[in-house]
Amino acid sequence: MKHKDRGVGCRPQPDRGPHRQRMQRVPSGPRAVANIQDDAATRSQTAQRCKTRSLAVRILFVCNPLHGHVNPMLPLARAAHNAGHAVVVATGADIAPLAQRDGLNTWSVGMTHAQAGGDNQASWIDYFEASARARIAHLAPRCAAWRPDMVIHEETELAGPVVAASIGVRSVVHGLGPMLAVRLLPWVAAAIERLAPRGSATEVVEAWRAASYLHLCPPGVAPAEEPIWRDV
């Protein structure tokens, strides 16, 4: 009895083995639209993160070891950190934990408030100058290594303008309330001159006065007098 040849002209038999390929169902309708929208949103977010990283800068915030001097600066430091910038807050070891609680990197530099004499000050100008001198000694090597792109210091902090000038970057003055009275200009400028490296005192003071000033005080409360800083 002859058997028919089933090798030619017959319907192909499906592969029943373990490696059988199954066709995937392609979503359609609202589900397909949702998937496309999700993919587009993911690509947009990825592109935005890449753009943010490419524009990120290093910002050094410097302040005296006083609660009323670091607290006004923390909102800006947090905003810069959340925007993807590298942020460091430099202050005394007793005040640094305030910034650390906000997830910010800190440098404990210079003296604590107690080491600088505490609240018993014969002259606050002397306090700001002495504490700034100690901060400069700690900040100079760190800034030379980290190379911040910008230094933001509060208005009574005197190490910031000196350090910024030494590494050739922009400094910004952060207000604390009403701007320093113009009558204090000669004493503050003289203190900065004494802190600046020999031969660069005039340039440091000029850069300090030309720095941008971030004003926190409402115009109706600010005193009506000539401002120390020109770019407000």
Side-chain angles (χ1 to χ4, degrees), residues 107-175:
W107 290 345
S108 296
V109 296
M111 297 183 285
T112 65
H113 179 57
Q115 290 169 340
D119 294 330
N120 299 319
Q121 299 294 328
S123 167
W124 281 104
I125 293 293
D126 292 342
Y127 170 93
F128 295 140
E129 181 178 351
S131 59
R133 190 178 302 280
R135 279 191 297 278
I136 290 172
H138 291 168
L139 285 172
R142 293 192 180 210
C143 288
W146 191 56
R147 304 298 299 182
D149 299 294
M150 180 185 300
V151 177
I152 301 178
H153 60 94
E154 42 99 350
E155 58 187 333
T156 65
E157 204 290 313
L158 308 182
V162 176
V163 171
S166 68
I167 58 176
V169 300
R170 179 186 180 187
S171 66
V172 175
V173 183
H174 196 295

Side-chain angles (χ1 to χ4, degrees), residues 41-82:
T42 300
R43 288 195 297 269
S44 176
Q45 292 170 0
T46 302
Q48 184 63 36
R49 284 195 297 268
C50 293
K51 181 179 179 181
T52 299
R53 284 195 295 268
S54 66
L55 298 177
V57 297
R58 297 177 178 178
I59 308 175
L60 176 64
F61 289 79
V62 192
C63 63
N64 281 291
L66 296 161
H67 287 79
H69 292 230
V70 67
N71 283 331
M73 301 182 74
L74 290 181
L76 180 59
R78 285 195 302 267
H81 172 75
N82 293 338

Side-chain angles (χ1 to χ4, degrees), residues 16 22 31 34 64 195 198:
R16 302 294 183 182
R22 297 181 178 179
R31 183 180 174 186
N64 281 291
L195 293 168
R198 183 174 300 178

